[in-house]
Amino acid sequence: MCGIVGYIGNKNAAPILIKALKKLEYRGYDSAGIAVYTGEEILVQKAKGKLKNLGEKITGQLIPENLKDDDFTKFEISLYEKTGDFVKGNLGIGHTRWATHGEPSDLNSHPHTNMEGSISIVHNGIIENYADLKAKLQSEGIVFKSQTDTEVVVHLIDKYYKEEKDIFKAVLKVLHVIEGSYALGVICRDYPDRIICCRKESPLVIGLGKGENFIASDVPAILEHTREVYYLGEKELAVLYSDHVDLFDFEGNKIIKEPSHIDWDEKAAEKNGYPHFMIKEIHEQPKGLTDTMRPRIIHDGSGKPTDVYFEESSMDEAWKNADRVVITACGTAYHAGVVAKYAFERIARMKVDVDVASEFRYRNPILDKKDIFIVVSQSGETADTLSALRLAKQNGLKVVAITNCVGSTVSREADDVIYTLAGPEIAVASTKAYTTQILCMYLLAIKAGKLRGTLSDEEATKLLAELETIPAKIQEILDGKDIIQKFASQQFNKDKIFYIGRLFDSATSLEAALKLKEVSYMHSEAFAAGELKHGPIALIDTQTLVVAIASEPDLYDKIGSNMVEVKSRGATVLVITQDEKAFEGKTNQVFKIPECSSTLASILTVIPAQLLAYYCAILKGFDPDKPKNLAKSVTVE
C-alpha cells in the first residue's frame, strides 16, 4: 500500500526522509510528502506524482527525467544542501502514497495536519469507520481539507490532545476509536523530542541508531543507517526519542522485546547495474533457489540427497495424520499454491484445496482440525491472507506460513514458518519470490510424502536430485533470453494474449498471464487448454498471441491440437517446452527449456513468461518496477 518513514536525531531530517522514501517508492508512487519540525513550526510539503515532483517543489529546481535512481537521490540531496531553507530540522515524517480514499492530488497527499498545524501524521492502511467519525467531527466544527480517511485520525488526535493535555494519551485513545488497518507516525509541535508510532494489521519497522532512531514500512528504507530493528507487533505502539525507544501495547502497558539484526546489506536492495529491479530479480532466481534449497536437503555420506529437513518445523506428526492440505494466498502467491496443489497430489498423494484468501473467510469454509493450513505471502503482511490465517487458527488448525520476510506478521502468528530465502524483492511484480515459494512447497510435498509413506526413498532421492539441478537450468534459460526479447519485439502490439496449458502448465499459465498484465498492461488471460472449445476460441483472430506451456509429454498431442486450432484461426503461437520436435509445424516460435520432469518443470516454464512480460513492458515504454495502480504489499482489503 503506502510507505511511511520517520526520523529523530541530530541530523537534518529531510534528506534522510527523502532518501528513505525513494527506497519505499515501490509501495506507492502517486504522491509523496514530508513534514519537518523546524524548531518553531511543523512545515509540510507534498506533491502529486513521483517523488521527483516533491523534490522539485521543495527546491524550486528541475530534476532531470533521465537520472537513474541513485543519481536522482544524490542530486536531490545536493539541492537541499544548497537551498536549505525548508529542510532545517531534526524531527520529521514522510510518506509515499498509493491512493485508496481520494484521487491522487497535493491535498490528498500525506502528511496530514490538524487545523492549527501543530500535529502531523502519516498513515498506511484504511480506516474503515472514517465516514461516521468524519461526520461527527464536522458537526463539531472541524474543517477537512482532503478526501482521505487519514485526515480523520489527525483531527481525532487533536481533539483528545486538548482533552488529555498529553499527546501519548491522545494517540492511545484514538486507537480505541478507529477501526481498520493502519500503521501511523505522529509528531506534535509541543513534543519536539519524540515520534509516536503504532501498527494494527499494517507493517512497521523501528530502526535503532546511535543518537538517532527511525520508523519505516520496510527494512530497505533504513538499512543505510542501521541493521538493528524492532518489528513492531500487532497492536503495539512505540515512542521514539533520539537516544532510546519505549514500546507499549494498546492498553498503554510497557513491553520489552529484543531487537532483530538484519543480515543482508543495503546493496541487496540496489539495482547493481541492471536497468530495473524486475530484470535483476529475474536473474537472481538461481541464487535465491539455491539459498532456499541448500539448507533444507539432507545428503548421505556419498553426497546423495535423501530427505528434507526444515529447521523451523515441528509439525511432523501433524503431517503424518493430516487428511487434507488447505492453501490460501492472493495474486502471485495464490498461483504458487495452485502449482502446489498438483505437487502435493502427485508427490504426497494428499487431498488439497486452494483458496483465494480474499474469498476464504467470507464463505464459512468447512475446516477440520486434522487439516494442514498453508498461507503464502511474499511480504508476510497481506491483509486477506492474515485474516484467513487467523480464521484457521480459531478453528484449531495447524498453520504453516511461507514468506520471504523475517519478522513479518504471518511468520509470528503461524505455528511453523518456512522462509523463502530470496533476498529483498523490490519490483512490485513478484518473480523470485514466486519461484522460491514453489520450491518450498515442492520440498514440503516431498517431506510429507516420506512421512506418510506415499513416496519411496528412491522416488524422493530422484526428485531431490533433480531439484538440485534447477538453478543451473534457470541460468541456462536466462543465458538464452535474447530469443524471448526478439519475440517480444515482434509481438508487443498484439491486442489479446492467451496462455494455455494442462495440469501443472495450466497453473503456470495463471501466473504468466498475471505477470504480463501487471507490467505491460496488455490484455492477457489464462485457462486450461481443454477449455478452448468451451468459449475462448471465439476470441481468436490475427491480433491474438497464444502462449502454450507444454511440459507434460503424455499430453503433447492434446496441447498440440489446441495449438493447431488457434493457429488455423490466425493466431500467433509461442510454445514453451522441453521438446521442440513434438510441435513442429504447429507453432510460430519455440522457446526450449532444459530437460526436466513434468512434476518439477513449473519452476522453469515460468521464467520465459517473466522475461516476455518484462520485455513487453520495456517496449511499450512502461516502468516494470512500478506498474500503475499496484503496490507491493497489499495491507488492506
Side-chain angles (χ1 to χ4, degrees):
M1 298 304 295
C2 306
I4 66 176
V5 296
Y7 173 79
I8 184 168
N10 53 18
K11 297 174 185 172
N12 205 6
I16 293 170
L17 296 173
I18 290 292
K19 201 166 185 181
L21 287 176
K22 192 65 186 171
K23 301 289 179 62
L24 294 181
E25 202 172 13
Y26 68 89
R27 296 180 67 89
Y29 33 86
D30 58 40
S31 59
I34 61 174
V36 174
Y37 177 68
T38 66
E40 296 180 356
E41 63 177 332
I42 295 175
L43 197 54
V44 176
Q45 192 64 274
K46 45 193 184 178
K48 176 184 175 182
K50 292 187 177 182
L51 197 58
K52 180 180 92 74
N53 299 350
L54 178 64
E56 291 178 346
K57 194 169 184 179
I58 291 172
T59 63
Q61 299 186 48
L62 291 177
I63 296 175
E65 282 285 357
N66 59 351
L67 281 183
K68 296 179 180 178
D69 284 354
D70 293 345
D71 293 334
F72 159 70
T73 304
K74 294 173 187 174
F75 179 82
E76 192 173 23
I77 289 173
S78 71
L79 288 179
Y80 290 142
E81 290 169 350
K82 289 174 184 175
T83 55
D85 294 336
F86 175 82
V87 298
K88 297 302 183 185
N90 308 128
L91 169 69
I93 51 178
H95 188 274
T96 181
R97 184 173 186 246
W98 186 72
T100 56
H101 293 72
E103 65 183 7
S105 69
D106 290 2
L107 280 176
N108 288 331
S109 305
H110 300 213
H112 290 287
T113 61
N114 60 338
M115 290 174 65
E116 294 84 7
S118 60
I119 300 172
S120 186
I121 73 166
V122 288
H123 168 221
N124 172 30
I126 287 179
I127 307 303
E128 294 176 351
N129 61 335
Y130 87 99
D132 291 340
L133 294 171
K134 182 175 182 178
K136 185 176 181 181
L137 287 166
Q138 286 175 321
S139 72
E140 297 171 359
I142 301 298
V143 177
F144 283 75
K145 296 178 181 178
S146 76
Q147 302 166 299
T148 67
D149 55 336
T150 301
E151 195 179 355
V152 165
V153 180
V154 74
H155 290 308
L156 279 175
I157 294 173
D158 181 43
K159 175 182 176 179
Y160 295 135
Y161 177 51
K162 289 171 180 173
E163 296 174 1
E164 300 287 342
K165 310 301 182 186
D166 183 295
I167 192 64
F168 179 81
K169 290 180 180 178
V171 172
L172 206 58
K173 197 168 182 178
V174 168
L175 302 184
H176 294 276
V177 174
I178 58 176
E179 299 172 2
S181 62
Y182 47 83
L184 296 171
V186 182
I187 60 174
C188 178
R189 185 181 60 200
D190 299 338
Y191 292 81
D193 64 339
R194 69 196 69 180
I195 299 174
I196 299 175
C197 64
C198 61
R199 67 151 292 191
K200 176 179 176 284
E201 299 178 6
S202 290
L204 197 63
V205 179
I206 297 171
L208 305 174
K210 294 181 179 179
E212 58 186 4
N213 289 303
F214 312 80
I215 64 170
S217 295
D218 203 356
V219 168
I222 55 176
L223 266 185
E224 177 183 352
H225 308 283
T226 181
R227 293 192 191 180
E228 301 302 315
V229 303
Y230 287 130
Y231 291 103
L232 205 59
E234 179 68 2
K235 292 188 177 181
E236 289 183 357
L237 180 145
V239 182
L240 284 71
Y241 305 88
S242 60
D243 59 352
H244 71 283
V245 175
D246 293 329
L247 302 173
F248 304 86
D249 62 23
F250 272 24
E251 302 305 318
N253 303 308
K254 203 163 186 178
I255 57 177
I256 304 295
K257 64 167 65 180
E258 289 296 316
S260 300
H261 180 76
I262 306 300
D263 291 323
W264 47 274
D265 61 23
E266 187 184 1
K267 289 183 179 179
E270 300 296 340
K271 291 179 185 172
N272 295 342
Y274 287 94
H276 299 95
F277 281 111
M278 184 177 179
I279 192 66
K280 171 180 177 277
E281 288 158 8
I282 289 172
H283 278 81
E284 287 175 339
Q285 288 176 110
K287 182 180 185 301
L289 288 163
T290 299
D291 291 346
T292 300
M293 185 189 323
R294 184 178 289 148
R296 273 85 182 242
I297 296 181
I298 299 172
H299 298 81
D300 64 15
S302 66
K304 182 172 67 175
T306 58
D307 205 348
V308 175
Y309 170 69
F310 290 107
E311 183 180 3
E312 311 95 329
S313 179
S314 57
M315 286 177 48
D316 285 4
E317 287 302 313
W319 280 104
K320 288 178 185 177
N321 298 319
D323 291 330
R324 179 178 64 151
V325 176
V326 179
I327 304 172
T328 306
C330 298
T332 286
Y334 166 74
H335 298 156
V338 179
V339 173
K341 173 182 172 68
Y342 288 99
F344 274 103
E345 288 179 348
R346 183 177 290 187
I347 295 170
R349 302 304 299 152
M350 297 184 73
K351 293 184 288 186
V352 183
D353 287 338
V354 186
D355 275 283
V356 175
S358 57
E359 292 288 306
F360 180 78
R361 67 184 174 125
Y362 295 113
R363 64 173 180 81
N364 193 20
I366 299 171
L367 298 172
D368 188 284
K369 290 183 180 179
K370 292 180 71 176
D371 294 338
I372 298 287
F373 197 83
I374 300 176
V375 295
V376 191
S377 169
Q378 182 277 141
S379 68
E381 304 292 348
T382 310
D384 291 316
T385 305
L386 279 167
S387 296
L389 180 157
R390 289 162 184 159
L391 179 60
K393 293 205 74 172
Q394 289 169 14
N395 282 271
L397 277 68
K398 291 288 188 180
V399 177
V400 179
I402 296 176
T403 182
N404 197 41
C405 293
V406 176
S408 59
T409 304
V410 300
S411 71
R412 295 194 302 271
E413 295 192 12
D415 297 289
D416 265 3
V417 58
I418 297 171
Y419 289 110
T420 57
L421 306 177
E425 189 178 69
I426 305 301
V428 169
S430 179
T431 52
K432 62 179 181 174
Y434 172 76
T435 48
T436 52
Q437 287 165 358
I438 293 174
L439 173 64
C440 285
M441 287 190 279
Y442 276 133
L443 291 172
L444 266 179
I446 293 169
K447 179 72 173 176
K450 288 207 69 177
L451 286 169
R452 298 167 66 84
T454 56
L455 185 71
S456 69
D457 290 346
E458 182 180 355
E459 290 169 327
T461 292
K462 184 178 179 181
L463 284 170
L464 291 170
E466 187 173 17
L467 270 178
E468 290 184 320
T469 70
I470 292 293
K473 290 175 179 178
I474 289 180
Q475 188 59 55
E476 187 178 335
I477 293 172
L478 295 173
D479 291 342
K481 65 181 182 293
D482 289 352
I483 297 173
I484 289 291
Q485 185 174 13
K486 182 179 178 181
F487 184 76
S489 70
Q490 299 164 346
Q491 305 296 328
F492 73 95
N493 282 322
K494 282 287 193 287
D495 291 340
K496 303 183 288 285
I497 298 86
F498 295 150
Y499 289 85
I500 62 173
R502 291 171 181 264
L503 299 182
F504 282 90
D505 299 329
S506 175
T508 304
S509 293
L510 296 171
E511 173 59 13
L514 176 63
K515 211 53 49 195
L516 186 69
K517 70 181 71 170
E518 281 181 323
V519 299
S520 75
Y521 319 137
M522 298 169 75
H523 180 82
S524 57
E525 296 183 34
F527 40 82
E531 291 298 297
L532 260 175
K533 297 187 185 71
H534 298 279
I537 201 167
L539 299 174
I540 301 295
D541 57 28
T542 58
Q543 286 301 304
T544 306
L545 168 64
V546 175
V547 181
I549 301 176
S551 69
E552 295 277 355
D554 292 344
L555 296 173
Y556 280 167
D557 288 342
K558 298 289 186 183
I559 192 77
S561 296
N562 298 135
M563 292 160 63
V564 170
E565 289 168 352
V566 297
K567 195 164 183 273
S568 67
R569 288 162 173 81
T572 301
V573 180
L574 165 69
V575 63
I576 299 170
T577 185
Q578 310 100 311
D579 187 353
E580 55 190 328
K581 291 183 179 179
F583 302 102
E584 286 181 346
K586 299 176 181 179
T587 182
N588 300 92
Q589 178 72 53
V590 176
F591 189 92
K592 187 179 184 302
I593 63 169
E595 291 296 323
C596 184
S597 71
S598 60
T599 302
L600 304 181
S602 291
I603 306 184
L604 298 184
T605 52
V606 76
I607 308 299
Q610 294 172 347
L611 291 166
L612 181 63
Y614 172 78
Y615 288 125
C616 284
I618 298 304
L619 289 160
K620 285 180 167 290
F622 302 133
D623 182 349
D625 290 343
K626 301 168 186 173
K628 63 183 181 183
N629 303 330
L630 300 179
K632 184 68 176 170
S633 178
V634 183
T635 56
V636 296
E637 286 193 63

